[in-house]
Amino acid sequence: MELDNKVATQLFSHLHDYLVEFLKLTRYALGECELCKGAKLIHPLLCHHCYADLPLFTYQHLGHNLLNWPAIDKLFPNRTFDQLLCLAPYAEPFNHWLKQFKYQQRFELADLFAFLLTELLREQYFENNDCGILSVPIHLNKWQQRGFNQAHLIASAFNKRTKLPYLDSALVRSSYSESQVGQSGKLRRKLLKNAFDISEEVDTFPSNIILIDDVITTGSTVNALCKLLKLKGVKHITVLTVAFTLPK
Ligand SMILES: [Zn+2]
């Protein structure tokens, strides 16, 4: 009798697991908008209405470049990249999504970001044979500690959607420094100056690069990378991020 109970408990537990998995799959297949639970989806996590309501930057008067906005141009005086495209200011729902992505490992959001970034890039590069994707690297120790690099996850999803080549191991973060939050701009730049390397496996880069990160703040990280890339003969760099946040 005791054995029967054990078997029954095990069976019940398996059944429960299957049911949970089944419900998860059904929810994904049928789809439900993240924001309003609506079903008229444009992406497995987003409906048409909420997509239209997202507080995205509008680019029609900016020549498709945030750097043409004088207030933003001033924030990056010594930049080494040519174009800045960000989906939105760091505000709802993007701040919420980015936190869930990074701290709660909601990796399915990478494809939602990639979907929105693909829409944002429009067709600027899609037919271009001399174009590649890069992502801002983190140090191997940090990758091991955290288990993932959010910029890489977004870039991989973006690569799947656009089919643009992704040079996923071309950039290396060679120095391992603690979080840069709270450090002065001058100190940040000093620490970052020698923080990156280019992998020896890469001889030449495409002329046009799309450099992906989750958020841009001071731009010092991407600047340090772009300086290296320009030395390697890259002609045009587009920095592409989910959110833009003002430095404090
Ligand atoms: Zn919705």
Side-chain angles (χ1 to χ4, degrees), residues 65 67 80-84 125 134 207-211 222-223 225-230 234-240:
N65 188 353
L67 298 172
T80 41
F81 50 93
D82 307 276
Q83 183 183 22
L84 178 62
Y125 283 117
L134 292 171
S207 300
N208 301 286
I209 288 291
I210 299 167
L211 179 60
V222 288
N223 248 331
L225 284 165
C226 293
K227 215 177 262 180
L228 280 180
L229 291 168
K230 288 275 166 99
V234 173
K235 296 275 179 292
H236 186 274
I237 304 173
T238 301
V239 170
L240 186 64

Side-chain angles (χ1 to χ4, degrees), residues 33 35-36 47 50:
C33 173
L35 301 172
C36 74
C47 79
C50 293

Side-chain angles (χ1 to χ4, degrees), residues 172-175 189-197 224 228:
V172 182
R173 181 147 194 157
S174 41
S175 80
R189 282 192 293 278
K190 202 176 157 196
L191 286 172
L192 284 164
K193 203 178 163 199
N194 301 311
F196 301 104
D197 270 329
L228 280 180

Side-chain angles (χ1 to χ4, degrees), residues 33-39 41 45-51:
C33 173
E34 270 287 299
L35 301 172
C36 74
K37 309 286 173 214
L41 300 178
L45 296 174
L46 193 68
C47 79
H48 282 271
H49 303 294
C50 293
Y51 176 54

Side-chain angles (χ1 to χ4, degrees), residues 110 114 128-138 143 148-172 201-202 204-206 208-214 225 240:
N128 190 336
N129 292 326
D130 197 13
C131 174
I133 307 167
L134 292 171
S135 60
V136 172
I138 56 175
W143 197 320
F148 63 94
N149 168 9
Q150 64 269 23
H152 167 70
L153 293 176
I154 299 170
S156 301
F158 185 76
N159 155 258
K160 276 192 198 124
R161 285 192 168 267
T162 61
K163 310 286 179 227
L164 290 169
Y166 177 27
L167 311 162
D168 60 350
S169 50
L171 300 176
V172 182
E201 293 162 27
V202 185
T204 53
F205 280 91
N208 301 286
I209 288 291
I210 299 167
L211 179 60
I212 294 183
D213 207 355
D214 52 350
L225 284 165
L240 186 64

